[in-house]
Amino acid sequence: MTRILTIAMPCYNVEAYLERGLTSLADERFEGKLEVLIINDGSTDTTEHIAARFVASHPSIFRLINKENGGHGSAINAGIAHASGTYFRIVDGDDWVATDNLAALLDQLASATCDIVIDMKREVDMQTEDSQLIALPSYVETGRCLNFSEVCNQQDTESFISIHTLNIKTSLLKKHGIRILEGIFYVDYEYIVKSTCLAETVKFVPLEIYQYLVGNANQSVAAENFVKRFRQHETMVKEMLRFAENSPFENSIQQYLERKVQLVIHTHYNILLIFDTDRKRGARRAKEFRSWLQSQYPRFAAITNRRYYQALVLHKLGFDYKRLNRFMGRTLGT
């Protein structure tokens, strides 16, 4: 019997967190409806043993897939390849779900016809356990299938479509052969952009599902890790540019795609010019990237030129990651 939803759970050395995530998915209401693929990405701790215990106790829900370490993108690719549910989503091994709300979501997905269904997440600080619900904005129409092309560029709607809130038809991913870069960080963005551009229809549901743990200095979004892995981020940016130039969509989807690419270029300039505490090195790297962009993708170089100079000014004023967040009114760690 076809499951309603496949959840791919990429796991790498998450023994401290995995029990909570799997427990939130081990509910008898999910039997016959939910498939959870635990993708053990070459863990060296007890991740595999914890996963195997849940497979043994709930074999109708959980399935363990062991593979060599290949990074988050590799785990996503494995999840897509093995998924059998009508819809597909990702829950990382150190996060968890709101169990009762997932049961309600499964009921909605059972009769859903939209290409993508977007729900809500809560961010939970791992140190203080303080949390914040990232609710859908009031201008987003919920509970009805909408044309994605008509809403994807509406105000800030696209920012609520994240790897934590996206349910997508598995058939779309398989039909278009969606694959994500392997062996690097920052592929969440790539996955979201590539998959959502395929959608013709979307439904927003005001259900809080994903519980996202934040505040971990080892997370790939930490400023120092951005700098340390700047080349990996640059690899992802270049893949986004390639995708945008070689995947023509109808006008509104193309506009959405190009804005997403612009945003990730802006982030790259921030990494190089603001996050890097070695100011000379960061300025040199930013200049090199901008020269490459001008030679390979002159149109994107032109439309992101203003952001380059803005970041350069902040660079000269001594802005760092924390100061930039305060300036932008953002909470650190989110």
Side-chain angles (χ1 to χ4, degrees), residues 86-324:
T86 301
Y87 284 90
F88 178 86
R89 78 177 296 154
I90 297 163
V91 175
D92 283 335
D94 52 355
D95 297 323
W96 67 104
V97 303
T99 306
D100 289 343
N101 287 351
L102 180 59
L105 177 66
L106 287 171
D107 288 341
Q108 293 206 31
L109 291 179
S111 59
T113 58
C114 294
D115 292 333
I116 58 177
V117 176
I118 308 300
D119 48 57
M120 302 188 302
K121 69 175 178 178
R122 178 176 295 273
E123 296 184 343
V124 182
D125 189 286
M126 69 179 302
Q127 305 296 332
T128 66
E129 295 188 355
D130 291 340
S131 68
Q132 178 185 8
L133 174 65
I134 311 301
L136 293 169
S138 59
Y139 59 78
V140 169
E141 183 178 357
T142 62
R144 189 169 72 88
C145 204
L146 309 169
N147 289 327
F148 185 64
S149 62
E150 294 178 3
V151 300
C152 62
N153 296 308
Q154 180 185 16
Q155 297 188 52
D156 198 30
T157 299
E158 54 85 21
S159 68
F160 294 88
I161 303 173
S162 73
I163 199 165
H164 306 125
T165 62
L166 173 66
N167 307 273
I168 182 168
K169 280 189 174 179
T170 307
S171 57
L172 273 181
L173 299 174
K174 291 180 179 287
K175 176 183 177 181
H176 293 275
I178 293 299
R179 286 188 59 83
I180 310 303
L181 293 172
E182 300 188 358
I184 65 171
F185 287 82
Y186 314 116
V187 295
D188 290 9
Y189 198 91
E190 178 193 357
Y191 169 73
I192 287 297
V193 173
K194 286 184 175 179
S195 58
T196 55
C197 283
L198 305 175
E200 293 183 4
T201 53
V202 58
K203 181 180 181 181
F204 294 91
V205 294
L207 281 172
E208 173 193 331
I209 304 296
Y210 202 105
Q211 309 294 293
Y212 177 42
L213 199 63
V214 300
N216 185 347
N218 293 320
Q219 286 178 315
S220 59
V221 295
E224 59 268 28
N225 286 330
F226 264 129
V227 175
K228 182 172 67 175
R229 300 168 181 145
F230 89 96
R231 193 67 73 187
Q232 295 185 27
H233 191 269
E234 191 164 286
T235 298
M236 185 272 290
V237 173
K238 290 180 177 180
E239 172 60 17
M240 289 290 86
L241 285 160
R242 184 204 64 79
F243 182 75
E245 288 288 286
N246 294 283
S247 304
F249 296 97
E250 61 102 349
N251 289 342
S252 56
I253 300 297
Q254 191 68 25
Q255 180 184 347
Y256 161 78
L257 169 58
E258 293 189 1
R259 189 175 70 257
K260 297 293 281 187
V261 175
Q262 289 177 52
L263 288 172
V264 79
I265 293 172
H266 293 174
T267 297
H268 199 60
Y269 282 139
N270 285 348
I271 293 169
L272 301 177
L273 289 169
I274 299 175
F275 296 179
D276 195 345
T277 56
D278 186 331
R279 312 305 273 185
K280 289 184 179 179
R281 180 182 64 186
R284 184 186 71 252
R285 288 173 173 174
K287 185 177 180 180
E288 290 171 353
F289 173 74
R290 181 166 173 261
S291 295
W292 174 87
L293 190 63
Q294 287 174 323
S295 65
Q296 299 298 315
Y297 298 94
R299 185 168 61 87
F300 277 99
I303 59 181
T304 58
N305 207 36
R306 180 180 179 184
R307 180 56 195 155
Y308 170 77
Y309 284 111
Q310 287 174 336
L312 190 61
V313 169
L314 295 176
H315 166 89
K316 293 182 181 299
L317 291 174
F319 271 68
D320 59 10
Y321 173 70
K322 291 182 179 179
R323 190 176 174 188
L324 177 65

Side-chain angles (χ1 to χ4, degrees), residues 74-89:
S74 174
I76 292 174
N77 290 337
I80 294 172
H82 288 90
S84 64
T86 301
Y87 284 90
F88 178 86
R89 78 177 296 154

